[in-house]
Amino acid sequence: MDETTPENETTPVAPPASLSAFLLYFLKLGTFGFGGPIALVGYMQRDLVDQRKWVAKEDYVEGLAFSQLSPGPLAAQLAMYLGWMRAGFLGAALTGLAFVLPSFLMVLALAAAYIQYGGMGWIQGVFYGIKAAVIAIIARSAWKLTKLTLAKDVLLWFVFAISALFTAITQKESILLFIGSGLLVLLIRAFPRKTTAPTLVLFPWFITGLTGAPADHGTLTRVFLFFTEAGAFVFGSGLAIVPFLREGVVDRYHWLNTQQFLDSVAVAMITPGPVVITSGFIGYLAAGPVGACLAAAGVFIPPFLFVVLLAPYYKKFGSNPKVKACIAGVTAAATGAIAGAAFVLGRQAIGDIPTAIICLATLAVLVSTKKVPEPILILIAGGVGILISHGN
């Protein structure tokens, strides 16, 4: 994040904005903030630190470091941290809600349309092209994350490679591998040789997803617990959640097939706000609007709790080399899992020459220029997909 991390120096700060103005800013950012986590944290620095001076530069730097070191989608967690700095617990809660709500409502509408019209030819054509572009974006993001988190650190590259190979070969993600990676780096670096639940009474539509049958209480509980677990193991980029979600959603619970999962990732790419908002889309397909709410709530609860419970102690413990070593190992493993997931998903999504061309063309544009936003590339790929499907 060298392009967004400012110098750690004291700068004049304007009088604090009202809480309503602060929340309105994050509501707008959640509505129009395209570009992924790197871009979103850059917008916050530009708008809140450099231009409006609502946030002190040193507070922003501390918040950015805290968000990188702890589980949670980077941009959403930084927004919550800045909200906590502004108004404590209430500020963190309202800021996180304002930032996430616009994209959640968008994916809710898209999920309803997907269930209603997903079988139509033109929709299938759109996602035929989009899925190939998504693979290129995931691969490019994995490469950027390796440069950002691993640099020239041989140990972290070793952890990355093991995690990538494990994910690619087994087509699964292991939380134990993440934990073990963190402990491995910690040991090497920091310790050198010296009841029955009540039944929900709801209108069936509110808990009905792709299957057409209302989800039972067990499914709703699993949706919430699974996405809460996912939110607790996302480090840095929201794309770190992709391999974890694929293993659980497709292989373990069979809520979606691989194509539907790729479509879910694509929806997250073309909407503003944090990438992990795809949880709402997946939750909707699995268990209707209630499933969407449970999935989105679950994935954002862990980062929120980390902010409001641990931020006060961050200055005391954040610079501890043992903490940093453990987090570095976990982050390297997570980055490797993203690379492995890109291979697995790519093998399933790119099945013919047109999808291969779309993927390579998207990757070429991403590598050669930063002027074309990712949502635009995805929309173009969708248009190409329609043309190809109609031509066939």
Side-chain angles (χ1 to χ4, degrees), residues 69 185-186 189 314 317-329:
L69 288 173
V185 177
L186 170 62
R189 293 242 170 106
Y314 174 66
F317 298 106
S319 59
N320 187 299
K322 294 181 176 63
V323 174
K324 286 187 174 181
C326 186
I327 295 298

Side-chain angles (χ1 to χ4, degrees), residues 150-162:
L150 308 184
K152 297 181 179 180
D153 192 310
V154 176
L155 175 60
L156 296 185
W157 274 102
F158 171 78
V159 172
F160 165 87
I162 295 298

Side-chain angles (χ1 to χ4, degrees), residues 4-384:
T4 59
T5 305
E7 297 292 330
N8 193 359
E9 58 186 30
T10 303
T11 55
V13 180
S18 66
L19 182 58
S20 59
F22 200 77
L23 296 177
L24 180 61
Y25 168 77
F26 279 99
L27 189 65
K28 291 180 179 177
L29 183 63
T31 304
F32 302 106
F34 290 96
I38 304 296
L40 289 169
V41 299
Y43 297 151
M44 293 181 208
Q45 178 192 333
R46 180 196 66 191
D47 299 336
L48 299 179
V49 179
D50 299 336
Q51 296 182 359
R52 306 185 190 191
K53 301 188 185 301
W54 288 354
V55 175
K57 185 175 289 187
E58 52 271 22
D59 289 337
Y60 174 86
V61 171
E62 289 179 359
L64 183 59
F66 176 85
S67 302
Q68 288 176 308
L69 288 173
S70 55
L74 179 65
Q77 193 159 44
L78 180 57
M80 294 176 191
Y81 184 92
L82 296 178
W84 174 80
M85 291 289 299
R86 176 63 184 79
F89 181 94
L90 181 64
L94 293 179
T95 301
L97 181 63
F99 181 55
V100 170
L101 185 61
S103 54
F104 173 72
L105 294 177
M106 292 179 199
V107 299
L108 208 64
L110 288 169
Y114 185 87
I115 290 178
Q116 184 69 28
Y117 304 110
M120 297 180 65
W122 70 272
I123 287 286
Q124 294 176 1
V126 167
F127 283 104
Y128 172 83
I130 284 179
K131 67 181 182 181
V134 166
I135 296 302
I137 292 173
I138 293 176
R140 174 61 172 165
S141 297
W143 172 245
K144 290 169 67 176
L145 278 172
T146 58
K147 294 195 297 182
L148 179 68
T149 60
L150 308 184
K152 297 181 179 180
D153 192 310
V154 176
L155 175 60
L156 296 185
W157 274 102
F158 171 78
V159 172
F160 165 87
I162 295 298
S163 180
L165 287 173
F166 178 88
T167 306
I169 293 172
T170 67
Q171 301 186 26
K172 296 181 179 179
E173 185 183 73
S174 171
I175 296 302
L176 291 178
L177 180 61
F178 279 19
I179 296 173
S181 298
L183 293 176
L184 173 66
V185 177
L186 170 62
L187 291 173
I188 293 176
R189 293 242 170 106
F191 297 100
R193 290 185 180 179
K194 245 176 209 132
T195 70
T196 302
T199 302
L200 291 175
V201 180
L202 294 166
F203 291 110
W205 177 79
F206 285 104
I207 53 175
T208 300
L210 277 172
T211 63
D216 58 24
H217 184 273
T219 298
L220 294 173
T221 301
R222 284 191 292 274
V223 166
F224 177 74
L225 293 179
F226 171 73
F227 281 97
T228 301
E229 182 185 2
F233 287 92
V234 179
F235 283 81
S237 168
L239 284 173
I241 205 173
V242 169
F244 183 91
L245 292 186
R246 192 205 65 80
E247 189 274 329
V249 169
V250 178
D251 297 335
R252 193 192 318 171
Y253 295 117
H254 308 290
W255 291 328
L256 278 64
N257 59 36
T258 299
Q259 179 59 61
Q260 291 160 348
F261 178 74
L262 283 170
D263 295 345
S264 302
V265 176
V267 166
M269 296 288 188
I270 61 175
T271 53
V275 172
V276 295
I277 202 62
T278 189
S279 58
F281 189 90
I282 294 171
Y284 193 112
L285 300 190
V290 172
C293 293
L294 290 174
V299 84
F300 288 109
I301 283 175
F304 173 75
L305 292 178
F306 269 94
V307 168
V308 298
L309 296 179
L310 299 183
Y313 304 98
Y314 174 66
K315 288 186 179 181
K316 184 176 180 180
F317 298 106
S319 59
N320 187 299
K322 294 181 176 63
V323 174
K324 286 187 174 181
C326 186
I327 295 298
V330 174
T331 304
T335 306
I338 295 174
F343 173 79
V344 173
L345 293 172
R347 189 173 58 183
Q348 296 167 337
I350 302 172
D352 52 27
I353 293 177
T355 50
I357 293 174
I358 292 173
C359 180
L360 291 175
T362 303
L363 188 60
V365 173
L366 289 170
V367 172
S368 62
T369 180
K370 298 180 179 179
K371 295 182 179 180
V372 183
E374 291 175 359
I376 298 298
L377 290 175
I378 287 180
L379 291 175
I380 292 174
V384 173

